[in-house]
Amino acid sequence: MNFELSEEHLAVRDAARDFAHSELLPGVIERDSEAKFPKEQIKQMGELGFMGMMVDPKYNGGGMDTLSYVLAMEELSKIDASASVSMSVNNSLVCWGLEKYGTEDQKEKYLKRLATGEILGAFCLSEPEAGSDATSQRTEAKLEGDHYILNGTKNWITNGGTASVYLVIAQTDSSLGHKGISAFIVEKGWDGFVIGKKEDKLGIRGSDTHSLMFTDVKVPAENRIGDEGFGFRFAMETLNGGRIGIAAQALGIAAGAYEFSLAYSKERKAFGKPISQHQAIQFKLADMATTIEAARLLVYKAAILKDQGKDYAHASAMAKLYASQVAMDVTVEAVQVHGGYGYVKEYHVERLMRDAKITQIYEGTSEIQKIVISRGILK
Ligand code: CAA
C-alpha cells in the first residue's frame, strides 16, 4: 500500500488549489450572499478541463482517473462548494452516464460539448414525492411512434436553470415497477419544458437549484439512454460514482474549514498567547485533522476501487456517509474556534458550515448510504 500521490496527481491538486485561491476565493462571500451562480468561474473551470475530467479525450475530455477528479473536487470545495457541486454533477452524473451508456450519436451530439464545459448538464431523478424512494417515479414517458411524450415534475435539480442538457428519469411502464423506468436526454427550450423557480437555500447558495416541469414534451426515441426499463439501474449506477464526487466535496468543505481555523488560531491571541497554544483549541484541531484524514482515506479508496474496475458502490456510500458527517462536525467546530468571528460572513467558516449540511442530503441522505452499505454487508 502506497500513500504517496504521483507527480501527475500532485499537479492536478496544485492546479485546482491555485485556481480556487486565485479565481474562486475573491467574490465567494458575495456570490453566497446574493445566491449568484458562479457563471464566469464555471466557464474558466471548463477551459481548464475540470468539467469533463474523466471523459475519454476522443470526446474532448481530460482522460484522467477518478482520483484526479476527487483531488480537484476537494481543493475547489475548500473554497466554493457551489462551484464544485456544478462540476460534480456535470462530471459524475451527466458525462459519466452518457459516456458509459450513450450511443455514439449521443456522445457526438452532447458529450463532446459537456466535457469541455461549453454547455452544462443536469441529472433529473428526484420528484416532489420521489426523493429517497426513487422507484416511485411519477414522471411518465409514453412512446408514440418515433418519439416519447414526457409529462411530470422534477425537484431539487442542480444546474436546473443553467444547464442545456438534462438526463431525465421517467416511467415508461408503471406496471413493471423499477424495471419500467427509463432514462432520456432532454434539451432546454423544447416545447412544454418549463424551468421553475430557483430555490432559496441554506447553503451552496451560489448553485443553481430548480424544479422542472414537463408538459407533453416531445422527446425523440433516439434520445433514450439504453433500453426501455434500464433507467433505474442507470440512475443507481450513476449515483454510485456521483457519491464519490459528493464525498470529495464534503472532505473539501471539512478541510477548508480546518485550514481557515488553523491559520486563525495562530494569529488570534487570547490570555497573552495565540489561541493555538491553548489546549482547548489544540484538542479541537487534533480531532479535526484526525477525522478529516480518515474521511480522506475512505474517499480516495472509493476512487481507486473505481479506477481499478472493482465494485465501488459500497465504498462510495461509506465515503459519503462518513465524509459528510465529518464536514458537519468539523465546520461546527471551526465556527467555535473562531468564536464570534466565526459567526460572521467575512471569515468563511459560517458559509462552510451551511454548505456542509447538504452533503448529508443530496445524492442520497445519510440514511440511504446506510441502506446501500448494509445491503453490501449482508448480500
Ligand atoms: N447500484 C446498482 N444497482 C442498484 C443499487 C446500487 N447502488 N441500488 C439498487 N440497485 C438495483 C438493484 O440491484 C435492483 O435491481 P434488480 O431488480 O435488477 O436486482 C434495483 O436497483 C432495485 O433495487 P431495490 O429493490 O434495492 O430498490 P429500493 O426501492 O429498495 O431502493 C435505494 C433502493 C438504494 C433506496 C434507491 O432508491 C436510492 O438510492 N435512493 C436514493 C436516491 C438518490 O440518491 N437520489 C438523489 C437524487 S440525485 C441528486 O441529488 C443530484 C443532484 O442534483 C446533486
Side-chain angles (χ1 to χ4, degrees):
M1 203 179 287
N2 177 9
F3 289 102
E4 294 298 315
L5 292 171
S6 69
E7 288 297 318
E8 290 78 10
H9 287 130
L10 288 171
V12 170
R13 188 195 64 185
D14 291 348
R17 186 175 289 173
D18 290 348
F19 176 79
H21 282 268
S22 64
E23 306 301 328
L24 294 179
L25 189 56
V28 67
I29 294 171
E30 291 72 23
R31 289 195 299 277
D32 170 74
S33 211
E34 295 159 17
K36 188 170 168 219
F37 183 70
K39 191 168 170 227
E40 269 311 303
Q41 292 76 6
I42 297 281
K43 186 167 169 274
Q44 289 174 292
M45 283 159 62
E47 286 159 6
L48 287 170
F50 288 128
M51 299 309 280
M53 291 184 72
M54 296 167 288
V55 175
D56 191 317
K58 77 176 175 192
Y59 301 115
N60 298 339
M64 286 183 234
D65 58 12
T66 315
L67 185 56
S68 301
Y69 163 60
V70 154
L71 292 165
M73 276 296 298
E74 183 182 338
E75 291 304 321
L76 302 189
S77 304
K78 284 180 183 177
I79 305 294
D80 189 344
S82 295
S84 74
V85 70
S86 196
M87 165 178 161
S88 181
V89 166
N90 203 66
N91 276 273
S92 313
L93 297 188
V94 180
C95 289
W96 183 86
L98 269 179
E99 184 168 18
K100 180 139 171 104
Y101 291 112
T103 62
E104 270 315 305
D105 285 350
Q106 291 168 352
K107 292 180 200 178
E108 279 296 319
K109 189 167 176 191
Y110 300 111
L111 181 60
K112 280 187 158 178
R113 288 192 297 149
L114 287 161
T116 59
E118 179 195 333
I119 57 171
L120 273 183
F123 179 80
C124 314
L125 173 68
S126 301
E127 298 187 358
E129 290 177 59
S132 292
D133 182 9
T135 47
S136 296
Q137 298 284 304
R138 297 267 170 88
T139 297
E140 262 193 341
K142 280 205 171 140
L143 187 60
E144 287 187 5
D146 62 356
H147 60 265
Y148 287 84
I149 299 291
L150 185 69
N151 279 290
T153 301
K154 294 289 176 182
N155 261 27
W156 318 123
I157 306 303
T158 303
N159 297 340
T162 42
S164 302
V165 171
Y166 299 77
L167 305 192
V168 180
I169 311 298
Q171 270 300 346
T172 38
D173 185 344
S174 57
S175 67
L176 296 177
H178 72 268
K179 290 194 161 61
I181 292 173
S182 307
F184 300 91
I185 305 166
V186 177
E187 292 181 29
K188 180 186 255 161
W190 283 355
D191 278 354
F193 176 10
V194 173
I195 296 167
K197 72 169 172 65
K198 180 170 170 162
E199 301 294 348
D200 187 7
K201 306 188 297 290
L202 172 74
I204 55 162
R205 290 179 51 75
S207 80
D208 183 46
T209 313
H210 290 256
S211 50
L212 308 174
M213 278 73 77
F214 304 98
T215 309
D216 293 334
V217 178
K218 260 178 106 171
V219 182
E222 73 227 26
N223 273 30
R224 197 185 62 228
I225 304 171
D227 293 333
E228 262 202 16
F230 179 64
F232 193 71
R233 180 159 287 273
F234 173 79
M236 291 298 109
E237 283 193 22
T238 304
L239 283 166
N240 289 336
R243 287 167 185 157
I244 301 178
I246 298 304
Q249 181 189 46
L251 168 63
I253 292 171
Y258 164 73
E259 288 173 13
F260 282 121
S261 302
L262 185 61
Y264 179 82
S265 73
K266 291 177 184 169
E267 284 163 16
R268 170 76 176 167
K269 289 199 174 80
F271 305 102
K273 53 187 178 183
I275 61 169
S276 62
Q277 288 181 32
H278 291 291
Q279 204 173 46
I281 299 297
Q282 290 171 353
F283 281 5
K284 288 190 191 303
L285 294 172
D287 283 340
M288 287 177 178
T290 306
T291 53
I292 288 169
E293 196 56 27
R296 185 172 284 124
L297 292 175
L298 281 175
V299 177
Y300 291 8
K301 182 182 172 189
I304 291 167
L305 285 175
K306 182 164 176 281
D307 288 332
Q308 291 175 338
K310 297 189 176 143
D311 184 4
Y312 57 90
H314 183 182
S316 73
M318 276 189 175
K320 182 177 180 293
L321 174 67
Y322 187 71
S324 60
Q325 185 61 52
V326 169
M328 265 330 296
D329 295 347
V330 166
T331 53
V332 168
E333 284 296 73
V335 172
Q336 196 69 17
V337 168
H338 283 74
Y341 293 100
Y343 206 63
V344 294
K345 292 193 186 295
E346 201 181 329
Y347 285 78
H348 298 286
V349 288
E350 65 81 37
R351 181 184 73 257
L352 291 167
M353 184 178 82
R354 288 184 283 105
D355 289 348
K357 186 60 201 170
I358 193 62
T359 65
Q360 294 187 306
I361 298 172
Y362 59 20
E363 299 198 25
T365 59
S366 296
E367 293 71 23
I368 290 292
Q369 309 315 312
K370 290 182 192 179
I371 291 176
V372 175
I373 295 163
S374 56
R375 285 182 183 176
I377 293 168
L378 295 168
K379 83 176 170 198

